[in-house]
Amino acid sequence: MKEEDFFADMPTDDIEFLPLISVDDEEGDSNKRKIDTTSINILPLKNTVLFPGVVIPITVGRKRSIKAVQSAYRGNRTIGVISQKDIKIEDPKAKDLNSIGTVARIIKQLKMPNGNTTVIIQGKKRFKIKEFISESPFIKASIDMLDETIPSDKDKEFVATMASIKELAAKIITLSPNIPSEASVILKNVESASFLVSFIASNLNIELKEKQSIIETQDLKERAQKVLQHMHNELQMLELKNKIQDKVQTDLEEQQKEYFLHQQLKTIQEELGGDSVNQEIKNLEKKAKTKKWGKEAKEMFERELGKLQRINPAAAEYSVVHNYLELLLDLPWGEYTKDKFDLKNAQKVLDKDHFGLEKIKERILEYLAVLKLKGDMKSPILCLVGPPGVGKTSLGKSIANALKRKYVRMALGGLHDEAEIRGHRKTYIGAMPGRVVQSLKKAKSSNPVFILDEIDKVGADHRGDPSSALLEVLDPEQNQAFYDNYLELEYDLSKVMFIATANSLNSIQPALRDRMEIIHVSGYSLEEKIEIANKHLISKQRTTHGLKATDIKVNKTIIKKVIEDYTRESGVRELDRQIASIMRSVAKRVAMEEKYNKTIQQDDLYTYLGPTKYEKDIFKKQNQPGIAVGLAWTAVGGDILYIESILSEGKGKLTLTGSLGDVMKESAATALSLVKANAKKLDINIEDFQKKDIHIHVPDGATPKDGPSAGITMLTAIASVYSGKKVKPFLGMTGEISLRGEVLPVGGIKEKILAAKRAGLKELIMCKANEKDVLEVKEDYIKGLKFHYVKHMNEVLDIALG
């Protein structure tokens, strides 16, 4: 029985001669026709269960079953109907039958042409097999009639259950297309609860075992609840099926509607004197005549255009091919902007937009000079490395302005998918060209200044490694034939000026790093920050906040105070934010017509910016023995590093804390070994190494720290705590230490010097080999700092501990 045939067995054509008799009517009929319970013919049913009061047609094909039916029909037309335990058994024995069935009356018997017999039977009353009498020529048994437990009319739960059954039956009839609407009227007129439950149970689309379970249930209330549960399941299935059918029907109607609209539109356009599809193709051909592409690109365009003409415009592939052709036409094949070779003007533009950054400006001007003399040169691939906020990204825009080239920027931070660079193949749904090709399309030029922002933050996962895809883009020997998966053609990137930016080189793939010319962009000195604020930031923020030049004046003394007390950075982003805060406060006072100092005083900073955020004195004070100040390089510029050490009673154990990396831990161990080896020279009691534990801590414990440059600082702190001598105040130091006591050079010197100046230190110790790095720094930046260049640990300790 199918899902939709919930009431499929209900008689429709034969409704006039198949009486709908309730169980109560049957009981009255049973009194007239006494049933012989001592011996009754048994009719096994293979795939259904007969319920009391229900009329069903049965096709009888098994020989024993035909004999049983014929014998009963000749007699009192009463027969015991019982279902098989296993429907696969073709000739069931007594042991293969269930124990409970229904006594039925044979209403009509029909002989079929194929030899089978069809009988129309109506269930009367449930019975239970008492004993099987015989199995030949058909099964006969003695039975016990079963009376059901009928709840009283006052049982509210039973009454509610029956009401729910009628309500669900009405919903199912409405939802099922194969059940006539008259069925609902018939069910409403059934007064017998027992018959209603039996009738619905008979027509439920459930397993044979579940139907047998219902008929075996003695209590009518319990039987009704089982039927109700199955009806709920049936209703859910019908609702789901109707929902799916409605969706499919809606989709089909939408497609048909779209098709008819397309046809109507096509007809209207033809009537108006033009076919839109043909017109589109003509427009594409017209555009193609103006392109300066090579032979391969031209052949690809003509091939794809021919394909487009053969495709039905309603087909999904039409839009794919059309989009591809539009991309081919939108790309700037062989289109270049003319470079402006006025070197003096270029220098003015660069100086106007950015203060400092001499090395980078010099490199750009060198490139322009060679290009001017030679006329043709592969563009350099520069990588600007430095802390945040020093103007790496904005420098690219200035370079584009100086050269009069188009400017495009591609952010690489967090990029994981290799297809973002090379594109997806057209076979994929929603395929797109890579971001390199998209950027060139946007620039409308094949020689723009192309910024690859945050190249050190490119990721890699199961979708590929974008940094490996960038190898082809950034190789001057390969990028004249860059292959995009979507474009399926080679594109010349050799004239593009790529400028990458990064905060750190450590995370850039070595092969990729090798393809770029690295230019280190150091942090700004105090003097540079003052000039940047004075020339750029103040005027920019004043305009942004709608203020006039007469509304506010900020002198260099105030700018210096803001930099020293409210910022701690290599760049100028935080300084820009602090100036913006001042401008907002002033704008509020101007708008509200309040009185204020138009020339900002030091006392006003507390009102506008709040209390001082950073104290310089913390690094100047004379500390207890065991504390030394080091200089560190981080991705955001230089910084000051405290090294603290303390002794306690113990057994000479070394404890290191402060989120230190392996290299830094090894530096501490090396420094301790050196102090032990030179204990006599340093006037340190050797027994202290055996009897006292030493704990070295680097504050700001949540921040990971690593690197060898804190070696001499560790050495100084350990020597200080064991000797009891205080480290000289105003002193900072940086340098790696070897096990022989030699001081080795380290990197990031300019950033460290700037950090020392920001912190107010006056003397710095560093390796003699780093002297050349200091000489590269402008004298103005190191004014007021005294440098001690050393080669051995003894020199360090002489200066630091006296």
Side-chain angles (χ1 to χ4, degrees):
M1 199 178 292
K2 295 180 182 176
E3 254 180 49
E4 63 270 13
D5 297 337
F6 180 74
F7 289 105
D9 290 331
M10 187 186 339
T12 54
D13 296 334
D14 300 332
I15 200 164
E16 293 180 359
F17 70 86
L18 295 182
L20 195 65
I21 303 173
S22 71
V23 176
D24 298 333
D25 296 332
E26 276 301 304
E27 287 174 356
D29 189 53
S30 298
N31 293 330
K32 297 173 186 177
R33 302 169 183 268
K34 292 294 181 183
I35 299 169
D36 184 6
T37 59
T38 58
S39 177
I40 190 168
N41 297 357
I42 300 296
L43 174 62
L45 293 185
K46 188 175 181 180
N47 54 9
T48 190
V49 174
L50 178 65
F51 286 84
V54 178
V55 178
I56 60 171
I58 301 290
T59 299
V60 184
R62 296 186 285 214
K63 290 181 181 180
R64 289 203 297 173
S65 297
I66 292 171
K67 288 178 182 178
V69 169
Q70 289 175 345
S71 172
Y73 194 72
R74 288 193 298 269
N76 61 358
R77 296 195 179 188
T78 303
I79 192 167
V81 178
I82 197 162
S83 63
Q84 297 176 198
K85 293 177 181 177
D86 186 356
I87 62 172
K88 294 178 182 177
I89 299 172
E90 288 299 326
D91 189 15
K93 309 295 182 189
K95 62 182 176 55
D96 299 321
L97 304 178
N98 287 302
S99 58
I100 293 178
T102 304
V103 173
R105 178 169 172 264
I106 302 172
I107 298 173
K108 200 166 187 178
Q109 177 179 320
L110 303 168
K111 291 245 180 192
M112 308 305 290
N114 61 359
N116 290 342
T117 299
T118 297
V119 290
I120 298 168
I121 58 176
Q122 182 178 32
K124 287 186 173 185
K125 198 170 185 181
R126 299 180 312 118
F127 71 85
K128 185 174 183 179
I129 298 287
K130 187 176 181 182
E131 182 184 2
F132 287 103
I133 298 171
S134 68
E135 293 193 26
S136 182
F138 47 81
I139 300 172
K140 294 188 76 172
S142 60
I143 62 172
D144 288 330
M145 303 301 287
L146 297 176
D147 293 321
E148 63 185 5
T149 306
I150 301 174
S152 68
D153 295 338
K154 295 180 181 180
D155 189 333
K156 291 182 180 179
E157 187 179 356
F158 177 68
V159 172
T161 302
M162 294 309 299
S164 297
I165 286 174
K166 285 186 177 182
E167 187 180 335
L168 282 182
K171 287 182 181 178
I172 291 169
I173 291 167
T174 305
L175 289 173
S176 181
N178 296 328
I179 303 175
S181 57
E182 292 84 354
S184 181
V185 179
I186 295 169
L187 288 179
K188 284 180 182 177
N189 292 325
V190 174
E191 295 180 358
S192 170
S194 178
F195 172 66
L196 182 62
V197 170
S198 296
F199 182 71
I200 292 174
S202 175
N203 291 286
L204 278 171
N205 182 31
I206 57 177
E207 296 289 331
L208 192 65
K209 288 181 180 178
E210 292 170 337
K211 283 190 177 183
Q212 184 64 31
S213 171
I214 292 171
I215 200 171
E216 288 179 359
T217 304
Q218 184 80 6
D219 186 51
L220 179 59
K221 180 179 175 181
E222 187 181 343
R223 200 187 315 158
Q225 288 171 345
K226 283 185 178 182
V227 169
L228 183 62
Q229 180 61 44
H230 289 303
M231 289 178 76
H232 272 296
N233 296 339
E234 188 73 27
L235 182 61
Q236 287 175 0
M237 288 296 291
L238 277 170
E239 286 175 342
L240 183 60
K241 180 187 171 186
N242 284 353
K243 185 179 177 182
I244 293 168
Q245 286 180 339
D246 289 345
K247 187 177 183 305
V248 171
Q249 185 66 29
T250 303
D251 290 346
L252 286 172
E253 287 173 356
E254 282 292 325
Q255 288 176 11
Q256 289 173 348
K257 179 183 175 183
E258 193 175 333
Y259 174 76
F260 286 128
L261 286 173
H262 274 299
Q263 292 299 108
Q264 287 175 349
L265 184 61
K266 187 178 177 182
T267 306
I268 291 167
Q269 287 168 342
E270 286 174 355
E271 287 292 326
L272 291 171
D275 183 356
S276 64
V277 175
N278 289 333
Q279 190 61 44
E280 266 188 357
I281 291 170
K282 285 179 183 177
N283 290 339
L284 292 173
E285 288 175 333
K286 187 178 178 181
K287 275 187 182 180
K289 290 177 182 178
T290 63
K291 302 305 291 184
K292 301 175 184 177
W293 46 30
K295 183 181 176 183
E296 288 184 1
K298 187 178 181 181
E299 287 176 356
M300 176 67 83
F301 177 82
E302 289 172 353
R303 186 164 62 248
E304 292 296 315
L305 188 66
K307 187 192 291 183
L308 186 73
Q309 290 171 324
R310 295 190 298 272
I311 298 173
N312 185 341
E317 194 182 355
Y318 183 87
S319 61
V320 175
V321 177
H322 188 268
N323 290 341
Y324 177 72
L325 289 170
E326 285 196 327
L327 174 70
L328 285 177
L329 292 171
D330 289 340
L331 283 173
W333 301 91
E335 295 176 22
Y336 304 102
T337 54
K338 189 176 181 181
D339 290 335
K340 189 173 182 181
F341 295 119
D342 187 345
L343 270 64
K344 289 183 179 179
N345 180 66
Q347 187 162 14
K348 280 183 182 178
V349 172
L350 293 172
D351 288 339
K352 181 186 174 184
D353 292 345
H354 290 82
F355 188 84
L357 306 177
E358 281 77 12
K359 271 191 178 181
I360 304 165
K361 293 175 184 176
E362 188 179 346
R363 180 68 187 87
I364 300 302
L365 292 172
E366 287 172 357
Y367 165 69
L368 283 176
V370 174
L371 198 61
K372 181 179 181 180
L373 295 173
K374 189 172 183 288
D376 181 29
M377 177 189 174
K378 287 181 179 177
S379 292
I381 294 167
L382 308 178
C383 181
L384 310 181
V385 181
V390 295
K392 299 184 299 297
T393 305
S394 59
L395 187 65
K397 203 158 193 175
S398 296
I399 293 168
N401 291 336
L403 294 173
K404 297 296 179 185
R405 285 192 181 188
K406 295 291 181 69
Y407 168 82
V408 284
R409 173 182 167 272
M410 185 166 80
L412 298 175
L415 199 70
H416 285 275
D417 194 350
E418 175 257 350
E420 289 283 341
I421 307 295
R422 284 208 182 103
H424 303 82
R425 298 192 183 279
K426 293 201 299 289
T427 50
Y428 295 111
I429 295 171
M432 293 173 66
R435 289 171 64 181
V436 174
V437 170
Q438 286 185 51
S439 298
L440 292 174
K441 173 187 167 185
K442 181 181 175 184
K444 297 179 181 177
S445 167
S446 290
N447 65 336
V449 173
F450 201 123
I451 302 296
L452 299 169
D453 213 6
E454 310 291 359
I455 200 169
D456 57 328
K457 295 172 183 64
V458 174
D461 61 10
H462 64 280
R463 289 169 291 185
D465 182 5
S467 61
S468 297
L470 283 170
L471 294 176
E472 184 186 0
V473 176
L474 299 180
D475 191 337
E477 301 302 322
Q478 295 181 40
N479 64 8
Q480 78 274 9
F482 172 69
Y483 186 86
D484 185 275
N485 292 327
Y486 182 86
L487 193 60
E488 294 181 343
L489 287 168
E490 292 179 347
Y491 197 93
D492 185 7
L493 300 178
S494 62
K495 302 290 190 299
V496 178
M497 187 175 186
F498 287 104
I499 299 177
T501 70
N503 296 128
S504 171
L505 290 175
N506 298 332
S507 56
I508 301 177
Q509 194 185 99
L512 184 59
R513 190 165 64 234
D514 185 58
R515 281 164 168 77
M516 299 185 290
E517 184 178 336
I518 308 297
I519 298 177
H520 290 277
V521 185
S522 303
Y524 294 116
S525 66
L526 176 65
E527 291 76 12
E528 284 179 320
K529 288 182 180 179
I530 291 171
E531 289 300 320
I532 291 168
N534 196 40
K535 292 181 179 179
H536 300 283
L537 303 183
I538 292 173
S539 57
K540 182 188 81 172
Q541 291 296 347
R542 190 165 51 210
T543 305
T544 302
H545 291 84
L547 296 171
K548 299 174 184 175
T550 55
D551 290 333
I552 182 169
K553 291 180 181 178
V554 185
N555 59 41
K556 291 185 179 182
T557 307
I558 297 301
I559 297 170
K560 182 181 178 183
K561 184 74 174 171
V562 172
I563 293 168
E564 290 180 340
D565 293 353
Y566 293 92
T567 68
R568 185 63 53 83
E569 60 176 348
S570 295
V572 291
R573 279 189 185 146
E574 184 61 29
L575 175 60
D576 193 31
R577 284 192 282 269
Q578 297 300 336
I579 292 172
S581 296
I582 294 172
M583 295 298 172
R584 282 197 300 273
S585 299
V586 171
K588 176 191 166 191
R589 285 162 172 75
V590 171
M592 297 179 72
E593 298 181 355
E594 296 177 359
K595 289 184 178 180
Y596 69 96
N597 288 329
K598 292 190 176 182
T599 301
I600 303 296
Q601 305 297 321
Q602 288 194 14
D603 295 340
D604 296 328
L605 292 181
Y606 184 88
T607 306
Y608 295 147
L609 302 178
T612 300
K613 292 182 180 178
Y614 302 101
E615 295 288 343
K616 291 172 68 175
D617 294 340
I618 192 171
F619 299 108
K620 299 177 184 176
K621 292 175 184 175
Q622 181 87 22
N623 290 298
Q624 66 187 54
I627 298 177
V629 177
L631 304 175
W633 181 91
T634 68
V636 294
D639 204 357
I640 297 297
L641 207 64
Y642 259 129
I643 306 290
E644 301 176 342
S645 58
I646 193 169
L647 297 177
S648 59
E649 295 299 323
K651 297 180 180 180
K653 180 184 174 184
L654 170 64
T655 304
L656 299 168
T657 55
S659 296
L660 307 185
D662 291 339
V663 176
M664 209 163 178
K665 289 177 181 177
E666 289 168 4
S667 294
T670 304
L672 181 59
S673 297
L674 275 170
V675 173
K676 284 180 180 180
N678 295 275
K680 286 185 179 179
K681 292 180 183 178
L682 300 171
D683 295 329
I684 296 171
N685 186 0
I686 296 175
E687 292 183 359
D688 287 347
F689 296 115
Q690 305 294 328
K691 296 180 180 179
K692 292 183 179 180
D693 291 343
I694 182 169
H695 185 159
I696 300 174
H697 177 69
V698 184
D700 194 10
T703 305
K705 309 166 195 75
D706 205 2
S709 62
I712 63 172
T713 318
M714 294 268 194
L715 174 77
T716 303
I718 294 169
S720 171
V721 75
Y722 275 113
S723 65
K725 297 178 181 178
K726 295 179 181 179
V727 178
K728 189 177 183 180
F730 301 91
L731 178 68
M733 59 193 77
T734 182
E736 185 179 352
I737 193 81
S738 78
L739 207 54
R740 292 171 297 171
E742 293 180 353
V743 179
L744 306 177
V746 291
I749 293 300
K750 183 180 177 183
E751 285 80 5
K752 290 174 180 178
I753 291 171
L754 295 177
K757 279 209 76 174
R758 285 197 300 269
L761 300 179
K762 293 185 178 180
E763 295 182 61
L764 298 179
I765 301 174
M766 61 182 64
C767 177
K768 178 70 175 173
N770 282 127
E771 187 175 2
K772 64 182 186 301
D773 299 312
V774 178
L775 294 175
E776 289 184 4
V777 182
K778 282 187 178 181
E779 286 186 15
D780 293 345
Y781 299 169
I782 58 178
K783 190 177 180 181
L785 281 175
K786 184 179 179 182
F787 292 90
H788 300 279
Y789 300 111
V790 298
K791 292 183 178 180
H792 198 271
M793 60 164 277
N794 293 335
E795 298 174 66
V796 175
L797 297 179
D798 285 345
I799 297 164
L801 303 179

